[in-house]
């Protein structure tokens, strides 16, 4: 029997209570996809000088007032701004300077007219066919970032543009949370190494490899401990080793009710241990355990791969995000699409069902085709693109319903 059956919401609330792992300092060049452990504060204005946002000519805006194609303003070109250099010329009345995008405005200018609105009559005479306002096509100091402003906040996962802005501020290093380390234990006397031929009653180890790949996908570092048979002392030693080496331990198999299911007994043998969850009101995945040993979370996952992967998608992904320091609302964000259900789906009231579906393109819309099969089948996971959640108080979904597909 299950002793501490929880709802999905209750389990997710327990997950959020775990603390993030420690931080480390890494080169900015290696920071893409990592989670900030500190706010990033701008040490300077960006840009630090008046710069052009267009190719064109720097000038005094007032000298273009009233300019048009039929009556252009005439100005004298007195030079060109070299990229990356401080201009050596100062604009006087009736003059202009050629400038490229990003160039520093010369003293005396307050606007840039786009090159498309200009025409050189000769080498030094410029016709301007459009009026510009002061500061038009000009980026002022601090327009992008002001010194002392919070650029990025703790818990943010760095995207390419985030790495770029820190490069622009001269941040050669960045403080990030460590990647959570996950010890993966696959149990069962019937489970044999992948490279061996199964005898009757045996199965190759699948869960180690699916969970390892899952960890890599969600930004965790897997620590594969190897296979462990149904032996109390051996499993306890393996769990102890995982706790010593990793931030969390995931045990696949041995979580359901059975004569040789040892996970709960092994966990209970540790000091400072608490069983937080013993069963979740979902399908597949009900025989799931969550315990706390010291400050570390230990999951007992179903042995069937499909069940284990549903639990991983629904619970382990946000758990790793929490350990990895992600901002809570970002940790729960999942990629999803809306689709039309292709057939009726039955469900049992009082539990959440997660239905594997295949997405089929239908014009500009998606159709979700349910894939039914026993929880021990891996083929339905391979064919599926995602999961459709059927709520706990819903008795099913109907053909034609719009559903949210949580993408794998």
């Amino acid at each position: 029997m299950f002793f501490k059956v929880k709802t999905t919401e209750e389990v997710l609330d327990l997950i959020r209570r775990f603390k993030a792992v420690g931080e480390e300092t890494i080169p900015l060049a290696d920071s893409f996809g990592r989670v900030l452990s500190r706010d990033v504060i701008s040490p300077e204005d960006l840009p630090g000088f008046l710069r052009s946002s267009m190719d064109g000519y720097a000038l005094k805006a007032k000298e273009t007032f009233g300019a048009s194609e039929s009556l252009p303003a005439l100005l004298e070109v007195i030079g060109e701004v070299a990229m990356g250099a401080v201009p050596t010329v100062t604009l006087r009345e009736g003059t202009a300077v050629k400038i490229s995008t990003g160039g520093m405005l010369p003293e005396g200018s307050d606007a840039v007219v786009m090159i498309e609105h200009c025409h050189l009559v000769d080498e030094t005479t410029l016709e301007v066919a459009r009026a510009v306002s002061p500061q038009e096509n000009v980026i002022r100091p601090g327009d992008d970032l002001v010194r002392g402003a919070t650029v990025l906040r703790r818990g943010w996962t760095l995207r390419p543009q985030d790495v770029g802005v820190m490069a622009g501020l001269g941040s050669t290093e960045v403080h990030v949370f460590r990647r959570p380390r996950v010890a993966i234990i696959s149990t069962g006397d019937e489970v044999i190494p992948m490279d061996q031929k199964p005898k009757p009653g045996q199965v190759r180890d699948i869960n180690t490899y699916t969970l390892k790949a899952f960890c890599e996908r969600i930004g965790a570092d897997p620590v594969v401990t190897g296979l462990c048979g149904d032996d109390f002392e051996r499993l306890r030693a393996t769990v102890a080793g995982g706790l010593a080496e990793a931030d969390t331990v995931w045990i696949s198999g041995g979580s359901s009710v059975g004569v040789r299911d040892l996970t709960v007994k092994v966990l209970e043998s540790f000091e400072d241990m608490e069983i937080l969850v013993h069963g979740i009101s979902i399908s597949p995945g009900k025989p799931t355990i969550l315990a706390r040993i010291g400050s570390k979370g230990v999951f007992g996952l179903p042995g069937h791969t499909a069940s284990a992967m549903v639990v991983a998608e629904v619970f382990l992904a946000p758990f790793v995000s929490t350990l990895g320091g992600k901002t809570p609302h970002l940790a729960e964000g999942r990629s999803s699409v809306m689709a039309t259900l292709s057939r009726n789906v039955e469900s049992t009231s009082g539990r959440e069902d997660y239905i594997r579906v295949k997405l089929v393109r239908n014009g500009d819309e998606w159709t979700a085709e349910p894939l039914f099969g026993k929880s021990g089948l891996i083929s339905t996971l391979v064919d599926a693109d995602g999961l459709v959640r059927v709520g706990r108080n819903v008795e099913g979904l109907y053909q034609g319903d719009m559903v949210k597909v949580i993408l794998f």
Side-chain angles (χ1 to χ4, degrees):
M1 62 181 297
F2 300 103
F3 300 102
K4 291 190 176 182
V5 177
K6 303 287 186 182
T7 65
T8 296
E9 294 78 10
E10 289 173 327
V11 176
L12 291 174
D13 182 62
L14 289 169
I15 283 172
R16 296 185 196 105
R17 300 179 189 179
F18 284 85
K19 303 297 183 183
V21 297
E23 68 174 1
E24 61 183 349
T25 303
I26 63 173
L28 179 66
D30 299 330
S31 65
F32 170 70
R34 300 298 296 273
V35 181
L36 287 174
S37 59
R38 305 182 190 180
D39 290 350
V40 175
I41 308 299
S42 177
E44 59 192 41
D45 289 338
L46 191 68
F49 57 89
L50 283 168
R51 62 189 299 188
S52 174
S53 64
M54 297 287 179
D55 291 340
Y57 290 86
L59 40 69
K60 297 179 184 292
K62 66 180 183 180
E63 296 185 337
T64 68
F65 293 172
S68 64
E69 291 187 4
S70 60
L71 189 62
L74 295 175
L75 300 172
E76 178 188 359
V77 179
I78 60 172
E80 182 174 352
V81 176
M83 290 299 296
V86 176
T88 58
V89 297
T90 299
L91 266 67
R92 60 183 187 274
E93 299 294 326
T95 60
V97 171
K98 190 175 184 181
I99 193 169
S100 299
T101 301
M104 182 176 180
L105 262 68
E107 187 175 345
S109 62
D110 62 4
V112 173
V113 62
M114 293 172 60
I115 199 166
E116 291 89 336
H117 303 304
C118 300
H119 173 66
L120 277 173
V121 178
D122 53 42
E123 291 184 357
T124 60
T125 305
L126 180 72
E127 288 185 346
V128 179
R130 180 185 178 278
V132 290
S133 304
Q135 306 303 317
E136 188 169 341
N137 300 322
V138 172
I139 300 175
R140 295 171 296 179
D143 269 358
D144 213 348
L145 295 171
V146 179
R147 180 179 180 180
T150 301
V151 182
L152 298 166
R153 295 197 176 276
R154 181 180 189 269
W156 185 254
T157 303
L158 293 173
R159 306 165 299 171
Q161 57 266 46
D162 304 324
V163 176
V165 75
M166 286 191 288
L169 294 171
S171 302
T172 58
E173 295 182 327
V174 57
H175 301 287
V176 297
F177 287 102
R178 288 192 297 103
R179 293 183 188 273
R181 291 172 60 82
V182 179
I184 299 171
I185 304 172
S186 186
T187 69
D189 288 339
E190 77 281 10
V191 183
I192 64 172
M194 174 188 62
D195 57 353
Q196 294 184 13
K197 177 75 172 178
K199 298 176 181 178
Q202 294 181 330
V203 293
R204 290 191 180 96
D205 179 20
I206 295 176
N207 287 357
T208 293
Y209 298 94
T210 52
L211 290 173
K212 179 179 181 294
F214 180 79
C215 286
E216 292 168 348
R217 194 197 85 194
I218 62 175
D221 290 333
V223 179
V224 177
T225 64
L227 297 177
C228 184
D230 293 321
D231 178 87
F232 179 91
E233 294 299 335
R234 185 180 172 190
L235 180 55
R236 191 186 189 285
T238 306
V239 171
L243 289 169
E245 191 174 356
D247 301 300
T248 179
V249 176
W250 298 352
I251 308 166
S252 68
S255 60
S256 61
V257 178
V259 176
R260 307 194 68 188
D261 293 328
L262 303 174
T263 301
V264 171
K265 292 180 181 178
V266 167
L267 297 180
E268 289 176 339
S269 70
F270 287 88
E271 294 183 1
D272 195 16
M273 188 284 311
E274 180 185 5
I275 298 288
L276 303 175
V277 178
H278 189 193
I280 306 177
S281 56
I282 65 170
S283 177
K286 182 178 181 179
T288 296
I289 298 166
L290 170 58
R292 180 188 286 110
I293 300 178
S295 61
K296 297 182 179 181
V298 179
F299 279 87
L301 305 174
H304 289 317
T305 301
S307 298
M309 292 309 296
V310 168
V311 172
E313 292 288 346
V314 179
F315 301 108
L316 298 185
F319 178 67
V320 167
S321 293
T322 298
L323 293 188
K326 282 189 180 182
T327 302
H329 74 278
L330 296 175
E332 295 169 12
R334 306 295 301 280
S335 297
S336 62
V337 298
M338 298 303 296
T340 303
L341 197 62
S342 67
R343 55 165 292 177
N344 295 343
V345 173
E346 296 181 357
S347 178
T348 301
S349 182
R351 76 181 186 197
E352 283 187 7
D353 280 351
Y354 286 86
I355 309 300
R356 285 148 275 176
V357 297
K358 181 178 181 64
L359 289 170
V360 177
R361 194 74 178 179
N362 185 13
D364 294 332
E365 299 180 349
W366 289 104
T367 297
E369 297 183 350
L371 300 172
F372 297 105
K374 297 178 181 179
S375 59
L377 303 180
I378 188 69
S379 59
T380 55
L381 278 181
V382 175
D383 292 336
D385 297 303
L387 301 170
V388 170
R389 172 183 173 272
V390 184
R392 189 166 58 253
N393 298 316
V394 177
E395 294 185 353
L397 300 174
Y398 294 95
Q399 179 180 349
D401 283 352
M402 289 297 295
V403 294
K404 181 168 77 171
V405 180
I406 304 169
L407 299 176
F408 286 136

